Amino acid sequence: MSLRSKALVNLFNGWPNPSLLPPELVKAAAGAVLSDESMALSILQYGPDQGYESLRDEIARWLTAFYKPQDAIQADRICITGGASQNLACILQTFTDPLYTRNIWMVAPTYYLACRIFEDSGFAGRLRSVPEDEEGIDLDVLSRQIAHSEEKAQAEGNLAPKLKASRPWRRIYRHVIYAVPTFANPSGRIMTIGRRERLVRIARRFDALVVTDDVYDFLQWPSSSPSTSTEDHFPDQAYVPRIIDVDRYLDGGPAETFGNAISNGSFSKIVAPGCRTGWAEGTKALAYGLSQTGTSRSGGCPSQLVASYIYQLLASNTLQKHVLCTLQPAYSRRYHTMMAAIMQQLLPLGVSTPQANADVAGGYFIWLKLPEPLTSKVITRKAAEEQVLSISEGNAFQVQGDEASGLSFQSHIRLCFSYETEDNLVEGVERLARLIKRELESSHPHCSLGLGT
């Protein structure tokens, strides 16, 4: 097949396949809201700072059922947001001071688009990488580096916020720790409960706010073998407690009223990215403080109209069924389809999958390590030029501006299984295998891998 006749296979986009978007469900929910005149007039007005109250109530019940904490989650722990990315900016606006807050500590490889949000909030040059292993964030490295940062700040006399005035609804933290602890982007790893507990203790010791993007938690399935579409094959509760749950109970609970963790949630992965609606959970004080961010105080809570649609989806159990009966089976098939192709086509070439072999898989991505001497920069470029294949280069997931850390992912690539059709997932892996085979044989001209053409 000529290069011109090949259609692009896109294993780069971290988007849902259009077939998994639920326009009819959203249309029905919108109709239920807008056909009720009193509800419609109310929802079309400015909303309360913390967000549409009925949705906050439903989210609290839904999260309680899924995460099963010791005590039911109350609505006063919830703040409606404009999605995880928008809310990350709001968290930084309210709970950090770019002159007083020392550093942003990011698990690396990291969700690289978060780097710009931190830089836009005044932290350019102060993002720091913390490596991960099969259990998640390396807390020995974090402890050493954060202690050194604190010693430096103390020596420089950086003892109080410089730009942000004291407010009763705000606390300025000295450090921010950012992670995607469950089905991490890009590595797919799950941080163990032991690491989560120790991370909370470190955050309390050094006055850090742990910000977690918990956006993939509901997209999970057994990792060992493909499952059928029967809903009882899929878990309907979380695999591991969130860090916010750990902070809620560990050693008697938060050290003070604001706590040291906030959970960033989003409906982008389980309803549609265009919703631009999410939620944050923290202590009562933290959730209220977040709602006092200037943009919410001025314009009312984000996503007031769409929040009412999502309320309808949750209250009618429509969203829960959509996740359990549509999304989990579909993403499970896609994941296992891609993994089978990887095992057949790529593993014999020396490609490896560094993520831990947990009982459960989830999210959108598979993180691969290339055999030496291949580099992801070359493979990514040649995949686009020679195979009409779009993949993600490993070093894109470095923490921007922290090259001095020495952490490099030049031998890694990320593949996304959420966007393309299942047939194209296999086709994409086959194209990648052809390229890797050819590159390996070019680097070892006297060695034929004998794996076909």
Side-chain angles (χ1 to χ4, degrees), residues 6 10 17 38-39 90 136 167 269 284 310 317 343 447:
K6 281 186 176 181
N10 191 328
N17 183 274
S38 62
M39 180 183 291
C90 289
R167 295 286 187 270
K269 305 296 188 291
K284 179 180 178 180
I310 295 175
N317 208 41
M343 288 187 284
C447 177

Side-chain angles (χ1 to χ4, degrees), residues 185-205:
N185 179 5
S187 71
R189 286 196 172 103
I190 302 171
M191 191 186 300
T192 64
I193 184 62
R195 293 284 174 93
R196 295 174 190 231
E197 291 175 349
R198 188 178 166 202
L199 176 59
V200 167
R201 291 191 174 105
I202 290 172
R204 291 175 179 176
R205 176 185 172 191

Side-chain angles (χ1 to χ4, degrees), residues 319-336:
L319 179 55
Q320 295 89 323
K321 289 180 179 178
H322 178 63
V323 171
L324 191 63
C325 302
T326 299
L327 296 184
Q328 285 181 293
Y331 287 126
S332 173
R333 289 193 303 270
R334 290 164 179 272
Y335 168 83
H336 286 291

Side-chain angles (χ1 to χ4, degrees), residues 109-174:
T110 196
Y111 171 56
Y112 63 92
L113 291 177
C115 293
R116 183 178 296 183
I117 301 173
F118 291 121
E119 290 180 343
D120 285 351
S121 296
F123 292 99
R126 287 186 289 143
L127 311 186
R128 296 291 180 264
S129 309
V130 184
E132 67 173 0
D133 59 22
E134 63 276 1
E135 293 188 41
I137 185 172
D138 187 327
L139 294 174
D140 292 333
V141 172
L142 175 64
S143 295
R144 288 195 302 269
Q145 292 186 349
I146 202 170
H148 176 74
S149 172
E150 195 56 37
E151 290 170 3
K152 181 175 181 288
Q154 295 290 328
E156 293 172 347
N158 188 3
L159 305 178
K162 304 293 194 299
L163 299 178
K164 304 289 181 74
S166 176
R167 295 286 187 270
W169 39 263
R170 176 162 66 198
R171 176 185 173 190
I172 302 299
Y173 291 84
R174 288 184 288 171

Side-chain angles (χ1 to χ4, degrees), residues 15-23 25 219 268-273 322-323 325-334 364 417-420 422:
W15 300 358
N17 183 274
S19 68
L20 297 176
L21 298 175
L25 300 183
L219 302 180
S268 292
K269 305 296 188 291
I270 54 177
V271 180
H322 178 63
V323 171
C325 302
T326 299
L327 296 184
Q328 285 181 293
Y331 287 126
S332 173
R333 289 193 303 270
R334 290 164 179 272
Y364 274 11
F417 55 82
S418 65
Y419 182 65
E420 282 285 4
E422 291 176 50

